[in-house]
Amino acid sequence: MTHSTTFTVANQCSEGVTVFLNTTKKNTGPPSKSSDDYLPIYTHLGTVASHQSGDFTLDHSIARIVVARVNDQFPIALGVVHRHATSVVASDDDLALYQKTFEFYKQVVSKPFEPLALQFHDLVLNTGILELNDAVATYLKANGFPGVTMA
């Protein structure tokens, strides 16, 4: 039995946002060998104007929600909604953090042999799983990316 979920997107941004449901194809038995069957599917749910809230209802008991800028669909917030978590908030601070995260990603991918990328890869490879999140946050803060995490 599927239960519906009603949730609110609170847009605290200075620009409008688009709200998406993020899913994948249903698993088959046996599991598919086609990589295309595991690609994310984004279903447009609606938009929310700047400094407004929007209510949405889905025929899912739990759902992963992506909130993105209207003009270029750059992600601002992610959330999982269910009967005990019924809101997703997007703010200009979230947008700034996502932009910083994307800048770090571009630097590491485009310059894989620069010290930033080499040190980051070394940190990930040689740090225990229980210490990794804190170690990465410390490393990123020390290298100009405060607030960016692996989470």
Side-chain angles (χ1 to χ4, degrees), residues 4 7 51 54 60 65 67 81 83-84 91 93 124 128 132 135 140:
S4 65
F7 65 97
H51 301 289
H60 300 275
I65 303 303
V67 180
V81 294
R83 67 183 184 158
H84 298 295
S91 70
D93 290 343
V124 171
L132 188 58
L140 292 171

Side-chain angles (χ1 to χ4, degrees), residues 18-36:
T18 301
V19 181
F20 295 95
L21 168 66
N22 176 228
T23 59
T24 56
K25 290 184 179 179
K26 294 212 181 281
N27 290 331
T28 60
S32 173
K33 294 181 181 178
S34 170
S35 61
D36 289 343

